[in-house]
Amino acid sequence: MALPLRIAIVGAGPAAMYAVGHLLDSDEIEPDIDIFERLPNPWGLVRTGVAPDHPEKKRIVDRLFDFYFRDSRVRFFGNVEIGVHLGHTELAQWYDAVIYAVGAGSDTRMRIPGEELPGCWAAREFVGFYNGHPDHRHLEFDLSCERALVIGNGNVALDIARILTMPVAELERTDIADHALDALRRSAVREVVVLGRRGILQAAFHNPELEELTHLDGVDVIIEGQDLPGEDDILDERSSWEVRRKVAMLKWMSGRRSHRENKRIVLRFLASPVELNGNRKVEEVVIGHNRIERDEQGIPTATPTDERSVLHAGLVLRAIGYRGMPFPGLPFDEHRGVIRNVAGRVVDVHGPVLGAYVTGWIKRGCRGVIGSNKKCAHETVEALIDDARKNRLRHAKLSKDTVATLIKRKHPDVVSRADWLAIDRSEKDAGRVTARPRIKKTDIPSMLACARDHALISKSI
Ligand SMILES: Cc1cc2nc3c(=O)[nH]c(=O)nc-3n(C[C@H](O)[C@H](O)[C@H](O)COP(=O)(O)OP(=O)(O)OC[C@H]3O[C@@H](n4cnc5c(N)ncnc54)[C@H](O)[C@@H]3O)c2cc1C
Ligand SMILES: NC(=O)c1ccc[n+]([C@@H]2O[C@H](COP(=O)([O-])OP(=O)(O)OC[C@H]3O[C@@H](n4cnc5c(N)ncnc54)[C@H](OP(=O)(O)O)[C@@H]3O)[C@@H](O)[C@H]2O)c1
């Protein structure tokens, strides 16, 4: 007979939604799932991270997550921040098990002089700004400079380079936040330099994201800092076919004619920022040049040389990685920026924390595409089901109805599934008028107002 289980999931991003899918699919349990999300909307970085010019990716994931979300065994408590409106102790008493899928609330620092100067931002802030994250919608990025510098050359760095250089007419067809469109219409940025501390063979960006740069109208892609590797260098690398494709693409790009009137994305390799200088805001960046050496495990690392150069830039965005934040009441691994866990079970110095689990970026660190969270969530759900089987869970003390009443009493502005579906419909309806996928509501009061209007209309019918 299937075991009845009451499960809370904190966060409604990809890791949470894949966990929901695995729980619903299991024959061994009869799950009742409550999702708690600090924003009124679900889907995490699919809404607030994935670039607006990637609509197909969002559409596919939306459809899958929406299928799980509408299941009658799932409830949504949006606009409820665990750790603020409710704590771990309460959830641990109310549910048989709690899965934390809270992603990354912070970012990695460069720890170099000048990093605090105005004009130097975390990629997370700029991405949140153009994607309409309520936390970042008010930020004011000075785009009056000609050159912007992006530190790090992962996929986030390339997303930003594209958004800063792409014709605004193309962005006008996407779900980019309206305030970002306004800022980009006024932007004077003509060159984005993407700094990679290691070499071409170690570039962190993926091939499809590199290839996308070649489709940008009116944008040249320039490779600097290192000669293109020869055949012998490529054969030396481990993941060789991907690296070969990357080098082939870069060779093809560097052979293309550039045009003086075009904007430029400069992929500069073997270069690290050493210092940011400026009078009250960033004006220039001192760059140190690196060479590649292998460490004891044979991993190619960036070794600084004494060579320096200076680049003028009015905007610096550090895209060197998101980072998980400590969660009140749960053990945290400061070094890795994750909630301490073994294969998804939260552990402290005494061993597993009864009924507490993690999945996604807060479990394994801030890396991996949306699909990587499926396997990650599967491992966590398997651990949870195994504990249920072995009677190693605490038993939920409150009924579903009591939980819902308590939450509403503590936090009247909770957003239900019906509320989110009304907000979603309203955004899509607004988008349809101008042939856009949606026009995002980017502040919480307007999302709540939309949900309230919908509830009033439903009642009056
Ligand atoms: C800029 C960017 C672009 C990306 N683009 C792509 C792409 O194009 N394709 C791709 O495959 N992958 C992409 N990725 C990777 C992908 O987004 C991640 O793998 C994935 O989102 C991680 O899922 P997660 O659920 O762990 O975290 P998140 O997606 O961050 O979800 C965490 C959720 O938890 C919520 N939350 C946080 N704290 C609390 C709390 N205390 N209480 C309640 N809720 C809380 C957050 O609001 C959020 O909704 C991108 C990543 C970034 C950073
Ligand atoms: N379109 C997509 O599918 C998409 C889009 C965005 C993000 N994502 C995924 O989301 C995850 C996170 O992406 P990300 O771009 O944030 O991370 P990432 O891929 O890990 O790239 C981080 C970059 O920052 C560099 N870096 C780290 N610390 C640094 C320092 N102190 N100084 C200088 N450079 C430093 C890294 O260099 P080293 O390589 O030398 O460490 C690397 O170039 C990735 O798995 C990515 O694939 C996917």
Side-chain angles (χ1 to χ4, degrees):
M1 215 176 66
L3 285 167
L5 277 187
R6 302 229 9 259
I7 299 157
I9 301 192
V10 184
M17 295 316 296
Y18 282 123
V20 171
H22 291 309
L23 288 165
L24 294 178
D25 283 349
S26 168
D27 297 333
E28 285 194 66
I29 59 167
E30 248 175 53
D32 265 317
I33 303 168
D34 286 349
I35 301 175
F36 294 92
E37 165 58 54
R38 72 179 280 261
L39 295 179
N41 61 272
W43 309 169
L45 284 169
V46 176
R47 178 174 165 109
T48 59
V50 173
D53 60 330
H54 286 168
E56 197 46 40
K57 203 171 287 181
K58 294 192 212 200
R59 215 167 14 239
I60 294 168
V61 179
D62 261 27
R63 212 174 298 142
L64 174 70
F65 293 169
D66 194 59
F67 176 74
Y68 299 143
F69 192 73
R70 287 173 189 262
D71 192 288
S72 60
R73 293 165 288 176
V74 177
R75 296 192 297 186
F76 182 61
F77 296 100
N79 199 30
V80 179
E81 183 165 359
I82 305 302
V84 175
H85 302 114
L86 291 170
H88 169 67
T89 321
E90 279 150 313
L91 292 190
Q93 288 173 358
W94 295 358
Y95 295 90
D96 296 313
V98 186
I99 302 179
Y100 289 87
V102 292
S106 180
D107 30 68
T108 313
R109 312 287 303 186
M110 298 188 288
R111 302 191 192 289
I112 58 172
E115 187 171 3
E116 307 304 331
L117 277 173
C120 174
W121 300 87
R124 195 173 60 88
E125 294 167 311
F126 188 60
V127 168
F129 169 76
Y130 66 64
N131 275 325
H133 193 302
D135 290 356
H136 303 127
R137 63 187 294 273
H138 297 295
L139 300 179
E140 286 182 19
F141 294 88
D142 181 359
L143 304 180
S144 64
C145 53
E146 283 219 358
R147 182 187 290 130
L149 185 64
V150 183
I151 320 282
N153 65 10
N155 288 332
V156 171
L158 293 204
D159 277 357
I160 290 175
R162 267 195 339 275
I163 298 298
L164 281 171
T165 50
M166 166 181 292
V168 172
E170 281 186 39
L171 286 170
E172 280 168 349
R173 298 199 290 265
T174 73
D175 68 359
I176 190 169
D178 280 348
H179 55 250
L181 260 186
D182 287 343
L184 288 163
R185 279 191 196 105
R186 288 180 271 112
S187 168
V189 173
R190 300 206 47 80
E191 179 176 286
V192 179
V193 180
V194 178
L195 276 200
R197 64 178 166 183
R198 296 193 289 162
I200 289 174
L201 298 178
Q202 298 84 33
F205 48 73
H206 294 174
N207 286 330
E209 283 65 29
L210 175 65
E211 283 166 25
E212 262 183 288
L213 300 185
T214 64
H215 304 306
L216 295 177
D217 260 353
V219 181
D220 293 333
V221 183
I222 316 288
I223 290 117
E224 283 184 358
Q226 188 185 15
D227 292 337
L228 283 158
E231 195 63 15
D232 291 349
D233 304 308
I234 303 171
L235 285 175
D236 197 28
E237 277 305 300
R238 281 161 205 172
S239 52
S240 131
W241 74 264
E242 281 176 359
V243 173
R244 273 165 190 273
R245 192 172 134 199
K246 195 168 280 176
V247 175
M249 179 54 54
L250 288 168
K251 267 189 187 146
W252 181 79
M253 284 172 159
S254 60
R256 288 198 313 175
R257 264 189 56 202
S258 47
H259 302 272
R260 199 203 292 240
E261 67 282 9
N262 277 359
K263 293 183 184 171
R264 291 156 46 103
I265 294 177
V266 180
L267 301 176
R268 185 153 167 192
F269 295 93
L270 296 175
S272 293
V274 174
E275 187 175 358
L276 273 52
N277 295 319
N279 181 15
R280 286 192 293 213
K281 73 175 289 297
V282 172
E283 287 167 9
E284 60 171 43
V285 182
V286 180
I287 292 173
H289 299 266
N290 304 325
R291 63 167 187 273
I292 292 294
E293 281 183 2
R294 291 191 183 263
D295 66 10
E296 314 82 65
Q297 283 121 42
I299 296 169
T301 55
T303 305
T305 69
D306 294 335
E307 203 186 330
R308 298 279 181 275
S309 58
V310 172
L311 203 64
H312 291 274
L315 175 68
V316 175
L317 297 158
R318 47 170 206 277
I320 62 171
Y322 284 39
R323 191 177 154 80
M325 299 247 284
F327 196 91
L330 294 178
F332 192 69
D333 178 337
E334 274 296 342
H335 179 64
R336 296 179 55 220
V338 300
I339 294 177
R340 262 181 212 286
N341 73 94
V342 175
R345 284 186 182 91
V346 175
V347 291
D348 63 14
V349 284
H350 309 294
V353 176
L354 200 65
Y357 301 85
V358 277
T359 183
W361 277 16
I362 197 62
K363 167 185 172 186
R364 58 177 207 281
C366 301
R367 76 190 75 89
V369 295
I370 295 167
S372 323
N373 299 292
K374 184 169 197 252
K375 191 166 158 229
C376 177
H378 186 255
E379 181 185 56
T380 299
V381 167
E382 283 298 302
L384 190 161
I385 293 176
D386 189 48
D387 288 345
R389 218 184 276 133
K390 294 178 177 150
N391 206 13
R392 288 198 296 233
L393 296 180
R394 211 193 310 248
H395 295 291
K397 290 211 178 71
L398 300 183
S399 73
K400 277 178 75 172
D401 289 347
T402 311
V403 165
T405 311
L406 275 178
I407 294 166
K408 280 191 190 127
R409 196 177 297 154
K410 276 175 173 274
H411 188 55
D413 279 341
V414 59
V415 170
S416 67
R417 170 170 49 198
D419 292 338
W420 160 247
L421 293 175
I423 298 166
D424 185 44
R425 212 167 25 248
S426 152
E427 289 188 346
K428 284 178 176 157
D429 287 347
R432 209 163 291 127
V433 179
T434 45
R436 295 173 65 186
R438 66 173 70 234
I439 296 181
K440 282 182 182 169
K441 295 186 191 305
T442 60
D443 65 312
I444 292 177
S446 74
M447 290 167 117
L448 296 181
C450 174
R452 260 194 314 269
D453 289 351
H454 171 261
L456 282 179
I457 294 165
S458 309
K459 257 191 207 149
S460 66
I461 296 175

